[in-house]
């Protein structure tokens, strides 16, 4: 072999080695690419994990609120208190042909489209009396429980206008105010009761009963007075 052939062969080998080192498919190039692939895999997993965890936590919070909160099961089946807007109010004499209007039946009818409760007894004011009519405590038919009125249902309270007491006075108006659920409280404004006669004669012996769904039961507490 001549020296020229040797030099050309060595140059060819060097050129081949240089070309191989620069190719992108080399082993060294593959190892260098691995770190750049790893963050890509991590970024792909992170949104997936976050999206899965967020709805799960949100659903759990909502379920806890619905199960324990007042706006969930607690109020969904509750019956609201009746208001003056829900009720039609009337008063009748007992007996109906009585010349005197000493014994009256106060009637409230649920004129709305939803069931509601009336509580305890009505606060009654006859004419210009300073205070409200005392209640007959023993007349509560079911102590501590309201009278529940479906649409069209009625509740009754008997009113003794004059019990043979002192300080008789004339009155041409009667109002009633509803109780709220707490005994001794008031709900809403006074409601005008249509008068069964032009004038009644009241005295300080007047009395009223608790609400009941039986007018005869209410009357039993005042007709003997």
């Amino acid at each position: 072999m001549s020296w020229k052939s040797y030099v050309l062969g060595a140059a060819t080998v060097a050129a081949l080695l240089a070309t191989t080192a620069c190719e992108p498919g080399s082993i060294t190039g593959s190892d260098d690419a691995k770190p750049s692939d790893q963050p890509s895999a991590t970024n792909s997993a992170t949104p997936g994990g976050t999206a899965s965890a967020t709805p799960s936590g949100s659903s759990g919070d909502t379920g806890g609120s619905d199960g324990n909160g007042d706006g969930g099961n607690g109020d969904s089946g509750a019956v609201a208190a009746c208001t003056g807007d829900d009720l039609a109010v009337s008063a009748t004499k007992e007996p109906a042909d009585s010349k005197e209007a000493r014994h009256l039946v106060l009637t409230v009818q649920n004129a709305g489209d939803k069931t509601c409760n009336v509580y305890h007894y009505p606060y009654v004011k006859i004419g210009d009396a300073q205070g409200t009519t005392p209640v007959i405590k023993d007349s509560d038919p079911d102590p501590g429980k309201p009278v529940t009125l479906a649409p069209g249902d009625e509740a009754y309270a008997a009113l003794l206008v004059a019990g043979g007491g002192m300080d008789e006075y004339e009155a041409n108006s009667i109002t009633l105010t509803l109780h709220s659920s707490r005994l001794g409280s008031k709900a809403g404004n006074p409601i005008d009761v249509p008068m069964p006669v032009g004038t009644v004669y009241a005295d300080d012996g007047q009395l009223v009963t608790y609400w009941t769904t039986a007018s005869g039961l209410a009357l039993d507490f005042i007709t003997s007075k």
Side-chain angles (χ1 to χ4, degrees), residues 58-82:
S58 176
S59 297
D61 292 343
T62 301
S65 176
D66 288 344
N68 300 322
D70 291 339
N73 296 333
D75 284 349
S76 60
V79 177
C82 298

Side-chain angles (χ1 to χ4, degrees), residues 79-82 116-121 140-149 155 179-182 210-213:
V79 177
C82 298
C116 62
N117 288 334
V118 288
Y119 291 92
H120 310 301
Y121 56 88
D140 189 353
D142 199 354
K145 294 185 179 180
V147 176
T148 300
L149 301 178
H179 244 96
S180 65
S181 60
R182 181 171 57 84
Y210 276 74
W211 293 115
T212 178
T213 55

Side-chain angles (χ1 to χ4, degrees), residues 179-205:
H179 244 96
S180 65
S181 60
R182 181 171 57 84
L183 183 62
S185 62
K186 292 183 179 181
N189 297 318
I191 302 169
D192 290 327
V193 179
M195 294 289 289
V197 295
T199 302
V200 295
Y201 296 88
D203 61 28
D204 58 5

Side-chain angles (χ1 to χ4, degrees), residues 67-221:
N68 300 322
D70 291 339
N73 296 333
D75 284 349
S76 60
V79 177
C82 298
T83 69
D85 294 336
D86 300 320
L87 302 176
V89 181
S90 61
T92 55
K93 295 186 300 179
E94 289 295 335
D97 58 356
S98 173
K99 294 182 179 180
E100 298 181 347
R102 292 185 63 245
H103 305 101
L104 302 181
V105 174
L106 306 178
T107 304
V108 292
Q109 182 185 56
N110 184 353
D113 57 2
K114 294 182 179 180
T115 299
C116 62
N117 288 334
V118 288
Y119 291 92
H120 310 301
Y121 56 88
Y123 292 101
V124 174
K125 189 173 182 180
I126 303 175
D128 297 325
Q130 295 297 312
T132 57
T133 302
V135 66
I136 302 174
K137 294 181 179 180
D138 292 342
S139 65
D140 189 353
D142 199 354
K145 294 185 179 180
V147 176
T148 300
L149 301 178
D153 286 352
E154 295 179 341
Y156 311 96
L159 174 62
L160 179 63
V161 175
M166 304 289 290
D167 299 326
E168 185 178 88
Y169 64 97
E170 294 184 10
N172 54 19
S173 67
I174 298 173
T175 63
L176 70 81
T177 303
L178 298 171
H179 244 96
S180 65
S181 60
R182 181 171 57 84
L183 183 62
S185 62
K186 292 183 179 181
N189 297 318
I191 302 169
D192 290 327
V193 179
M195 294 289 289
V197 295
T199 302
V200 295
Y201 296 88
D203 61 28
D204 58 5
Q206 61 191 258
L207 295 168
V208 70
T209 69
Y210 276 74
W211 293 115
T212 178
T213 55
S215 60
L217 177 62
L219 282 168
D220 286 344
F221 287 93

